[in-house]
PDB file of all heavy atoms in Angstrom:
ATOM      1  N   PHE S   5     122.338 111.807 112.061  1.00  0.00           N
ATOM      2  CA  PHE S   5     121.397 111.530 110.972  1.00  0.00           C
ATOM      3  C   PHE S   5     121.421 110.040 110.639  1.00  0.00           C
ATOM      4  O   PHE S   5     122.475 109.460 110.440  1.00  0.00           O
ATOM      5  CB  PHE S   5     121.847 112.359 109.757  1.00  0.00           C
ATOM      6  CG  PHE S   5     121.057 112.128 108.510  1.00  0.00           C
ATOM      7  CD1 PHE S   5     119.921 112.883 108.265  1.00  0.00           C
ATOM      8  CD2 PHE S   5     121.447 111.180 107.567  1.00  0.00           C
ATOM      9  CE1 PHE S   5     119.184 112.698 107.104  1.00  0.00           C
ATOM     10  CE2 PHE S   5     120.718 110.989 106.413  1.00  0.00           C
ATOM     11  CZ  PHE S   5     119.586 111.747 106.184  1.00  0.00           C
ATOM     12  N   PHE S   6     120.234 109.433 110.589  1.00  0.00           N
ATOM     13  CA  PHE S   6     120.162 108.031 110.130  1.00  0.00           C
ATOM     14  C   PHE S   6     118.883 107.864 109.328  1.00  0.00           C
ATOM     15  O   PHE S   6     117.786 107.977 109.873  1.00  0.00           O
ATOM     16  CB  PHE S   6     120.145 107.040 111.309  1.00  0.00           C
ATOM     17  CG  PHE S   6     120.143 105.607 110.843  1.00  0.00           C
ATOM     18  CD1 PHE S   6     121.320 104.879 110.778  1.00  0.00           C
ATOM     19  CD2 PHE S   6     118.964 104.988 110.418  1.00  0.00           C
ATOM     20  CE1 PHE S   6     121.329 103.557 110.309  1.00  0.00           C
ATOM     21  CE2 PHE S   6     118.966 103.681 109.945  1.00  0.00           C
ATOM     22  CZ  PHE S   6     120.146 102.963 109.899  1.00  0.00           C
ATOM     23  N   CYS S   7     118.982 107.626 108.046  1.00  0.00           N
ATOM     24  CA  CYS S   7     117.774 107.401 107.239  1.00  0.00           C
ATOM     25  C   CYS S   7     118.014 106.215 106.333  1.00  0.00           C
ATOM     26  O   CYS S   7     118.956 106.195 105.537  1.00  0.00           O
ATOM     27  CB  CYS S   7     117.444 108.621 106.394  1.00  0.00           C
ATOM     28  SG  CYS S   7     116.719 109.933 107.359  1.00  0.00           S
ATOM     29  N   LYS S   8     117.131 105.235 106.479  1.00  0.00           N
ATOM     30  CA  LYS S   8     117.246 104.045 105.647  1.00  0.00           C
ATOM     31  C   LYS S   8     116.551 104.350 104.320  1.00  0.00           C
ATOM     32  O   LYS S   8     115.344 104.160 104.196  1.00  0.00           O
ATOM     33  CB  LYS S   8     116.542 102.896 106.369  1.00  0.00           C
ATOM     34  CG  LYS S   8     117.228 101.575 106.215  1.00  0.00           C
ATOM     35  CD  LYS S   8     116.582 100.574 107.117  1.00  0.00           C
ATOM     36  CE  LYS S   8     116.976  99.177 106.724  1.00  0.00           C
ATOM     37  NZ  LYS S   8     116.239  98.199 107.481  1.00  0.00           N
ATOM     38  N   ASP S   9     117.245 104.937 103.410  1.00  0.00           N
ATOM     39  CA  ASP S   9     116.646 105.299 102.132  1.00  0.00           C
ATOM     40  C   ASP S   9     117.780 105.441 101.129  1.00  0.00           C
ATOM     41  O   ASP S   9     118.879 105.884 101.472  1.00  0.00           O
ATOM     42  CB  ASP S   9     115.893 106.628 102.258  1.00  0.00           C
ATOM     43  CG  ASP S   9     115.106 106.967 100.997  1.00  0.00           C
ATOM     44  OD1 ASP S   9     115.704 107.468 100.021  1.00  0.00           O
ATOM     45  OD2 ASP S   9     113.899 106.711 100.991  1.00  0.00           O
ATOM     46  N   ASP S  10     117.478 105.101  99.864  1.00  0.00           N
ATOM     47  CA  ASP S  10     118.510 105.168  98.824  1.00  0.00           C
ATOM     48  C   ASP S  10     119.037 106.588  98.630  1.00  0.00           C
ATOM     49  O   ASP S  10     120.179 106.789  98.228  1.00  0.00           O
ATOM     50  CB  ASP S  10     117.949 104.670  97.485  1.00  0.00           C
ATOM     51  CG  ASP S  10     117.583 103.192  97.566  1.00  0.00           C
ATOM     52  OD1 ASP S  10     118.047 102.531  98.524  1.00  0.00           O
ATOM     53  OD2 ASP S  10     116.825 102.726  96.697  1.00  0.00           O
ATOM     54  N   ASN S  11     118.149 107.581  98.896  1.00  0.00           N
ATOM     55  CA  ASN S  11     118.547 108.975  98.644  1.00  0.00           C
ATOM     56  C   ASN S  11     119.051 109.679  99.893  1.00  0.00           C
ATOM     57  O   ASN S  11     119.125 110.904  99.923  1.00  0.00           O
ATOM     58  CB  ASN S  11     117.347 109.771  98.097  1.00  0.00           C
ATOM     59  CG  ASN S  11     116.934 109.219  96.762  1.00  0.00           C
ATOM     60  OD1 ASN S  11     117.790 108.880  95.948  1.00  0.00           O
ATOM     61  ND2 ASN S  11     115.633 109.104  96.550  1.00  0.00           N
ATOM     62  N   ALA S  12     119.376 108.896 100.918  1.00  0.00           N
ATOM     63  CA  ALA S  12     119.694 109.506 102.211  1.00  0.00           C
ATOM     64  C   ALA S  12     120.845 110.504 102.113  1.00  0.00           C
ATOM     65  O   ALA S  12     120.842 111.516 102.811  1.00  0.00           O
ATOM     66  CB  ALA S  12     120.009 108.424 103.226  1.00  0.00           C
ATOM     67  N   SER S  13     121.814 110.264 101.213  1.00  0.00           N
ATOM     68  CA  SER S  13     122.960 111.188 101.184  1.00  0.00           C
ATOM     69  C   SER S  13     122.519 112.561 100.664  1.00  0.00           C
ATOM     70  O   SER S  13     123.036 113.590 101.114  1.00  0.00           O
ATOM     71  CB  SER S  13     124.116 110.619 100.375  1.00  0.00           C
ATOM     72  OG  SER S  13     123.703 110.442  99.057  1.00  0.00           O
ATOM     73  N   ALA S  14     121.520 112.598  99.766  1.00  0.00           N
ATOM     74  CA  ALA S  14     121.021 113.896  99.285  1.00  0.00           C
ATOM     75  C   ALA S  14     120.307 114.635 100.428  1.00  0.00           C
ATOM     76  O   ALA S  14     120.427 115.851 100.562  1.00  0.00           O
ATOM     77  CB  ALA S  14     120.062 113.683  98.117  1.00  0.00           C
ATOM     78  N   TRP S  15     119.605 113.867 101.285  1.00  0.00           N
ATOM     79  CA  TRP S  15     118.898 114.491 102.416  1.00  0.00           C
ATOM     80  C   TRP S  15     119.918 115.099 103.382  1.00  0.00           C
ATOM     81  O   TRP S  15     119.734 116.183 103.902  1.00  0.00           O
ATOM     82  CB  TRP S  15     118.059 113.461 103.154  1.00  0.00           C
ATOM     83  CG  TRP S  15     117.039 112.757 102.329  1.00  0.00           C
ATOM     84  CD1 TRP S  15     116.990 112.690 100.961  1.00  0.00           C
ATOM     85  CD2 TRP S  15     115.917 112.034 102.807  1.00  0.00           C
ATOM     86  NE1 TRP S  15     115.901 111.957 100.577  1.00  0.00           N
ATOM     87  CE2 TRP S  15     115.226 111.539 101.686  1.00  0.00           C
ATOM     88  CE3 TRP S  15     115.436 111.742 104.071  1.00  0.00           C
ATOM     89  CZ2 TRP S  15     114.073 110.767 101.794  1.00  0.00           C
ATOM     90  CZ3 TRP S  15     114.285 110.973 104.190  1.00  0.00           C
ATOM     91  CH2 TRP S  15     113.613 110.500 103.061  1.00  0.00           C
ATOM     92  N   LEU S  16     120.999 114.355 103.584  1.00  0.00           N
ATOM     93  CA  LEU S  16     122.056 114.815 104.488  1.00  0.00           C
ATOM     94  C   LEU S  16     122.669 116.118 103.943  1.00  0.00           C
ATOM     95  O   LEU S  16     122.886 117.076 104.682  1.00  0.00           O
ATOM     96  CB  LEU S  16     123.120 113.715 104.594  1.00  0.00           C
ATOM     97  CG  LEU S  16     124.241 113.879 105.590  1.00  0.00           C
ATOM     98  CD1 LEU S  16     123.698 113.955 107.003  1.00  0.00           C
ATOM     99  CD2 LEU S  16     125.217 112.699 105.491  1.00  0.00           C
TER     100      LEU S  16
END
Side-chain angles (χ1 to χ4, degrees):
F5 176 89
F6 183 97
C7 284
K8 217 172 164 187
D9 187 280
D10 295 344
N11 296 319
S13 62
W15 302 17
L16 187 61

